[in-house]
Amino acid sequence: MAQKTVLVVYAHQSSASFNSAVRDVTVQELTQQGYRVIVSDLYTMNFKASATQDDIIGDLKNPELFKYGEETMHAWKEGRLSDDIVAEQRKVLEAELVIFQFPMYWFSVPAIMKGWIDRVLTQGFAFSLQNMYDKGVFKDKKAMLTFSTAATQKMFQPDGINGDINITLWPLQNGTLHFCGFQVLAPQIFWSPAHCPPAVRAAMLQGWQSRLKGLLAEKPLTFAPSELFDLSFQGGFSLWPKVKEEWESQSYGITTGHHLGKLLPPDNQTKAPPADDNQDKAS
């Protein structure tokens, strides 16, 4: 049996950081399990964050109006993407699981990681209108977010000053990972390690190591399946009317994003649902 590969897309500037310790635990534990672990250390690589015309080798299809998405799609098809993008795309293709590890900046990823997303997950390679969400290009791969926060967990509760962490995570987990087809595992969140005593940080690392032992066997988060939508421009890619009718009697919405004006399904973006969850019934 071929050795399975895990890609860690890592963004932190300091080798003395808590994030660095998390990365080391990931590499050590998964390597011991027999996985091949690749780390894209974006700061060490000096990975270019800005998506520009320099990402395309050769002539543009439309030099009068540069459209990054269209030009990189054509360049991907024709083998004309810059070498650094091609190298990262090759890693994604080889990986069964992609872990994005970072300190949360402004409720999202650091700019250098956003640049990786913008430049590596090109149209055609990672998605198309025919291949997106649960029918996406990477539907046979898994991905997850592993990140630290400056804020405490209570600050990211529905009644906390930062609001519900499930809403914060929806754009990244649904709009990026699930959009490209990935089966999204529940995130590993390290709450405010900079403000925790050493013993608590050590416990966080131990908890992550324990989770890694069964990580790839975990059930992924649940998103609304494509079958619930009229996938046409005439239908607006909207929920079928019968689906809305069926959900009228439900206490919660389908997902954090597809809430239908109802209460958000609890922990929709932070925990895999139980087998009898309403969202499983929908699928």
Side-chain angles (χ1 to χ4, degrees):
M1 184 179 293
Q3 186 179 31
K4 295 182 178 180
T5 298
V6 175
L7 170 62
V8 180
V9 184
Y10 171 74
H12 199 287
Q13 304 91 332
S14 175
S15 60
S17 66
F18 180 81
N19 270 270
S20 178
V22 173
R23 176 203 58 201
D24 291 346
V25 167
T26 303
V27 173
Q28 292 166 7
E29 176 59 36
L30 292 179
T31 300
Q32 287 179 2
Q33 293 182 36
Y35 290 95
R36 170 182 174 236
V37 184
I38 306 172
V39 178
S40 285
D41 188 335
L42 301 183
Y43 285 108
T44 299
M45 295 162 58
N46 197 26
F47 189 82
K48 184 169 79 76
S50 55
T52 68
Q53 184 175 325
D54 293 337
D55 293 343
I56 296 130
I57 299 170
D59 297 333
L60 299 177
K61 297 296 183 181
N62 184 1
E64 296 181 359
L65 178 59
F66 178 64
K67 296 182 179 180
Y68 185 84
E70 292 183 9
E71 293 289 351
T72 52
M73 177 184 65
H74 291 302
W76 169 75
K77 290 179 178 179
E78 298 167 6
R80 296 187 296 108
L81 285 172
S82 62
D83 291 344
D84 61 339
I85 293 177
V86 172
E88 294 305 300
Q89 290 183 340
R90 187 176 297 117
K91 295 175 188 177
V92 173
L93 291 177
E94 293 173 358
E96 179 187 19
L97 167 66
V98 182
I99 298 174
F100 293 85
Q101 196 206 318
F102 57 95
M104 178 173 278
Y105 284 5
W106 295 109
F107 286 36
S108 186
V109 297
I112 198 168
M113 183 172 284
K114 181 58 166 62
W116 189 99
I117 291 169
D118 290 347
R119 297 180 65 229
V120 175
L121 301 181
T122 59
Q123 187 172 351
F125 169 74
F127 70 92
S128 70
L129 281 178
Q130 294 74 38
N131 298 289
M132 59 182 181
Y133 293 117
D134 57 347
K135 300 182 185 302
V137 174
F138 300 137
K139 62 182 182 296
D140 296 324
K141 298 179 182 292
K142 297 178 180 179
M144 68 176 298
L145 306 178
T146 303
F147 63 94
S148 61
T149 67
T152 64
Q153 185 172 5
K154 285 194 67 67
M155 293 169 71
F156 271 109
Q157 296 293 321
D159 61 349
I161 193 168
N162 289 341
D164 191 341
I165 188 65
N166 291 277
I167 295 173
T168 302
L169 295 178
W170 176 259
L172 285 170
Q173 295 190 149
N174 178 76
T176 300
L177 302 183
H178 180 51
F179 182 79
C180 293
F182 286 110
Q183 301 170 48
V184 185
L185 299 181
Q188 182 74 19
I189 308 174
F190 300 99
W191 299 105
S192 192
H195 300 101
C196 293
V200 174
R201 292 198 295 272
M204 288 180 178
L205 294 175
Q206 186 174 17
W208 172 231
Q209 183 178 20
S210 296
R211 185 183 176 191
L212 283 166
K213 294 183 185 300
L215 184 66
L216 279 92
E218 287 185 5
K219 181 179 178 181
L221 300 174
T222 297
F223 297 88
S226 298
E227 288 74 15
L228 300 187
F229 301 86
D230 181 349
L231 300 178
S232 68
F233 285 101
Q234 294 83 359
F237 292 82
S238 299
L239 285 167
W240 292 104
K242 64 179 181 180
V243 174
K244 293 182 180 180
E245 293 174 6
E246 291 170 357
W247 278 84
E248 280 298 319
S249 61
Q250 302 295 336
S251 301
Y252 299 103
I254 303 173
T255 67
T256 297
H258 307 104
H259 50 73
L260 303 179
K262 299 175 178 289
L263 293 171
L264 301 186
D267 302 321
N268 175 250
Q269 292 297 293
T270 54
K271 294 180 181 179
D276 60 349
D277 190 88
N278 285 334
Q279 297 169 62
D280 284 337
K281 294 176 183 177
S283 63

